[in-house]
């Protein structure tokens, strides 16, 4: 049975998180080695439309990147996010009534967490969007990610987010420049608005918010305008969200396809790339 961490000190939540992370790596050898191996990951910078992208070659992510997520494969495997199936060594922080925080054992960031629902239920953003804001209101130095059920989630059958230290992603590193060209689409009131960004390598929507209520209202408004295919449970999208002091920034990336065409190519033409590794971890 997994242990809920009994760490109550230090008091500062960010420090508590760092403490939890090192505690987990101390106790869990496999995870410790994977984080250590992250230092050996090969990276390459690519310039595209004035944007610097970073591609990572990370064989340890093969389990996630190559994960089969069709219904049959999901039904056959024990869900690795359900508490009853988690490795013995995996500890967690109970965030609230619905979510636990875990260290992600297949990291792409130097500190990488999974925010997993306590109950096994499908990936579904609309009723759970506020969790992102709630989480960031406590852990202000992290970035939260959401990958839709067919947009990179390796466990689409178990609702989860991911989180990592803020400011490391190329999108964030270049945010000051990139966000210069945003176009405001809708303003609720001061500091609460929806904007569009078309100068990045893919079109993005941005939600600026100052409270959980306005954040949720703006996301709902945007969500309802996004196209949803008949065979999908929600519009295809990815989310990256972080804080800049009291301002909450949510980037919503609408998706056209689940995987690039070369993912399923044969022989030398095949490249197993995690969707948009260059923006956020999947
Ligand atoms: Zn599960």
């Amino acid at each position: 049975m997994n242990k809920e961490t009994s760490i109550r000190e230090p008091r500062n939540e960010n420090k508590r998180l760092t403490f939890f992370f090192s505690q987990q790596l101390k106790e869990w050898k496999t995870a410790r080695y994977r984080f250590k191996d992250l230092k050996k990951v090969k990276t390459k910078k690519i310039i595209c439309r004035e944007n610097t992208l970073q591609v990572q070659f990370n064989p340890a992510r093969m389990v996630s990147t190559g994960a089969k997520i069709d219904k049959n494969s999901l039904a056959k495997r024990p869900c690795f996010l359900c508490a009853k199936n988690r490795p013995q060594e995996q500890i967690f922080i109970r965030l609230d009534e619905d979510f636990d925080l875990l260290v992600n054992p297949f990291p792409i960031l130097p500190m990488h967490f999974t925010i997993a629902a306590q109950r096994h239920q499908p990936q579904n953003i609309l009723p759970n969007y506020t969790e992102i804001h709630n989480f960031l209101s406590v852990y202000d130095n992290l970035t939260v990610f959401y990958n839709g059920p067919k947009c990179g989630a390796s466990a689409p059958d178990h609702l989860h987010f991911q989180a990592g230290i803020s400011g490391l992603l190329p999108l964030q590193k270049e945010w000051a420049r990139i966000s210069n060209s945003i176009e405001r689409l809708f303003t609720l009131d001061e500091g609460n608005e929806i904007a569009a960004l078309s100068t990045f390598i893919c079109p993005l929507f941005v939600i600026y918010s100052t409270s959980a209520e306005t954040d949720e209202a703006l996301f709902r408004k945007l969500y309802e305008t996004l196209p949803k295919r008949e065979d999908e449970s929600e519009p295809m999208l990815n989310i990256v969200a972080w804080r800049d002091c009291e301002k909450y920034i949510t980037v919503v990336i609408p998706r056209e396809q689940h995987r690039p065409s070369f993912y399923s190519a044969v022989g030398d033409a095949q490249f197993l790339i995690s969707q948009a590794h260059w923006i956020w971890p999947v």
Side-chain angles (χ1 to χ4, degrees), residues 10-257:
R11 292 210 116 132
N12 174 294
E13 294 299 339
N14 289 326
K15 282 188 185 158
R16 186 177 167 222
L17 202 64
T18 312
F19 196 69
F20 164 70
F21 181 75
S22 41
Q23 188 75 11
Q24 175 66 99
L25 293 204
K26 209 187 282 175
E27 290 175 18
W28 193 3
K29 197 170 147 194
T30 320
R32 183 167 69 243
Y33 284 145
R34 293 220 189 93
F35 275 91
K36 212 170 146 200
D37 280 351
L38 205 53
K39 293 187 182 118
K40 295 186 213 150
V41 161
K42 290 185 182 137
T43 62
K44 188 175 178 178
K45 285 197 171 153
I46 299 172
I47 308 286
C48 179
R49 293 175 68 190
E50 294 185 2
N51 301 290
T52 308
L53 311 179
Q54 185 164 295
V55 184
Q56 283 196 2
F57 174 66
N58 184 354
R61 286 287 296 180
M62 191 59 195
V63 180
S64 307
T65 308
K68 287 196 165 55
I69 57 158
D70 61 281
K71 265 192 182 156
N72 281 343
S73 305
L74 290 176
K76 273 187 212 155
R77 61 110 171 91
C79 173
F80 54 88
L81 293 180
C82 276
K84 63 176 195 286
N85 302 324
R86 290 179 203 156
Q88 183 92 30
E89 303 91 331
Q90 195 163 28
I91 55 175
F92 63 95
I93 292 178
R94 183 135 290 186
L95 292 173
D96 50 38
E97 283 176 2
D98 302 312
F99 287 89
D100 289 342
L101 185 76
L102 309 160
V103 168
N104 188 327
F106 297 103
I108 192 170
L109 294 168
M111 265 175 99
H112 194 159
F113 301 99
T114 305
I115 302 165
Q118 285 154 26
R119 187 170 62 80
H120 186 84
Q121 58 187 295
Q123 199 74 324
N124 182 9
I125 188 61
L126 193 57
N128 296 292
Y129 177 77
T130 312
E131 185 65 21
I132 299 178
H133 197 102
N134 294 346
F135 183 81
L136 290 176
S137 69
V138 178
Y139 301 103
D140 60 359
N141 69 343
L142 293 190
T143 292
V144 178
F145 312 90
Y146 172 81
N147 298 320
K150 285 195 187 161
C151 299
S154 50
D157 55 338
H158 192 122
L159 174 64
H160 68 286
F161 301 91
Q162 296 180 65
I165 294 295
S166 213
L168 299 179
L169 306 176
L171 176 73
Q172 291 178 310
K173 282 184 186 165
E174 296 202 59
W175 188 248
R177 180 185 63 78
I178 296 169
S179 60
N180 263 336
S181 47
I182 63 158
E183 301 158 49
R184 283 179 178 80
L185 298 178
F186 176 78
T187 302
L188 195 61
D189 52 38
E190 203 189 331
N192 292 292
E193 57 192 6
I194 303 175
L197 191 58
S198 49
T199 51
F200 194 54
I201 54 161
C202 58
L204 311 171
F205 291 104
V206 188
I207 295 170
Y208 291 105
S209 65
T210 54
S211 74
E213 291 72 29
T214 54
D215 199 355
E216 210 266 341
L218 291 169
F219 178 72
R220 183 174 288 272
K221 192 172 180 63
L222 176 61
Y223 181 96
E224 282 164 3
T225 64
L226 294 174
K228 184 174 93 63
R229 295 181 190 170
E230 267 179 30
D231 56 338
E232 303 294 344
S233 56
E234 64 182 33
M236 290 174 77
L237 54 83
N238 298 94
I239 292 173
V240 187
W242 68 94
R243 263 178 79 172
D244 179 4
C245 300
E246 293 315 303
K247 195 192 275 182
Y248 289 69
I249 302 168
T250 303
V251 172
V252 178
I253 302 127
R255 293 281 294 261
E256 172 71 26
Q257 282 185 43

